[in-house]
Amino acid sequence: MFSLTRIYSDDAGESHFEEVIIPLMDKGEIGFLSESQPVKNIIFREVLASYDYDFHNAPQKQYIILLDGGVEIETSLGEKRSFKTGEILLVEDTTGKGHKTRNIENKPRKSIFITI
């Protein structure tokens, strides 16, 4: 299994976290693989150490892969979670009240966005 955290908006516009499990299939010598996932683009990103972005919506549905630094994300209901290097987020709250994001390490942070 491969796990990631989804951030989404409910019908009232509130943002939430949800754990998503992606099943993997044994493909022998090459390892365990998921089903293919359709994607549109890949975007490389770096933010300053001081990154602290108030409530906002995701610009599009996208996976975010944290490459070298952690973030804290807060939902519109005040729930906070920290994510570290190597974790993957599925951000789908393109409408509603959005979420806050801030660096938790005092250094620039790189990530990859994969739009879906």
Side-chain angles (χ1 to χ4, degrees), residues 2-13:
F2 205 92
S3 65
L4 56 94
T5 302
R6 175 180 177 230
I7 302 169
Y8 69 97
S9 296
D10 64 20
D11 292 338

Side-chain angles (χ1 to χ4, degrees), residues 4 22 34-42 60-63 90-92 113-116:
L4 56 94
I22 299 172
S34 73
E35 292 285 333
S36 179
Q37 304 288 317
V39 298
K40 293 179 183 177
N41 298 295
I42 186 167
Q60 65 267 323
K61 292 181 181 183
Q62 59 193 8
Y63 292 101
L90 172 57
V91 185
E92 297 184 318
F113 294 173
I114 301 172
T115 63
I116 52 178

